Amino acid sequence: MDELVRWLGVQLDEDERTAREAGGAAWEELPVSGWVHTSPLPDTEWQPPGYDHHVASAPLSSDRAHIVRHDPARVLREIDAKQRIIQVHNARDSWGMCVACPRDEKGAMQVEIEDCPILRALALPYADRPGYKESWRP
């Protein structure tokens, strides 16, 4: 597996851990109070005591809307989507080449995995994290 793919997997694992520690549930705005709180989980999921709690206070409704839009539930969905994209790029054909990477008219891969524009784009939001290489920047 290539360095970019490994590094990106570590970033996604860290985001997943953080989102799960935050409860993994959706958040809702309480416009009257200026608070954002966790949404109740379905009855089928375990909830720690007092789970329905305030997670942020923001005086501006636009700030609360942004916080709600980027709740742990969305983060987990985004991680799942990114992991699926990476899985496609890790799939190899009978010659050991990435099945998703661009190819020339003869069927040869045009880029190495680390040069794949899709994987580079997936890594870009993590450019401020340790280990990111400027050579990965799209």
Side-chain angles (χ1 to χ4, degrees):
M1 191 181 327
D2 296 281
E3 184 179 7
L4 172 59
V5 172
R6 276 193 308 274
W7 180 85
L8 187 53
V10 169
Q11 308 318 302
L12 294 173
D13 289 347
E14 178 65 17
D15 282 358
E16 181 178 14
R17 182 190 62 76
T18 302
R20 291 197 186 284
E21 285 179 358
W27 292 347
E28 297 174 335
E29 178 183 1
L30 298 175
V32 174
S33 68
W35 281 93
V36 171
H37 76 109
T38 58
S39 304
L41 292 172
D43 292 337
T44 57
E45 294 189 36
W46 178 82
Q47 290 181 205
Y51 181 72
D52 187 20
H53 65 282
H54 298 305
V55 294
S57 174
L60 299 176
S61 63
S62 58
D63 292 342
R64 291 189 303 274
H66 177 75
I67 293 167
V68 167
R69 184 171 289 266
H70 298 287
D71 65 10
R74 176 182 173 165
V75 169
L76 292 173
R77 290 189 306 271
E78 288 181 358
I79 290 167
D80 180 55
K82 291 173 184 177
Q83 288 171 332
R84 290 170 189 258
I85 292 168
I86 292 168
Q87 285 175 350
V88 168
H89 280 276
N90 282 336
R92 303 298 171 152
D93 63 17
S94 59
W95 294 283
M97 296 192 305
C98 171
V99 297
C101 290
R103 299 187 186 238
D104 64 20
E105 64 279 349
K106 294 180 182 176
M109 274 183 24
Q110 294 177 321
V111 297
E112 296 297 321
I113 290 291
E114 291 208 1
D115 294 327
C116 175
I118 294 171
L119 294 178
R120 286 177 170 218
L122 288 176
L124 188 57
Y126 304 104
D128 62 336
R129 293 194 181 172
Y132 182 84
K133 294 183 177 183
E134 282 301 313
S135 62
W136 294 338
R137 191 172 293 277

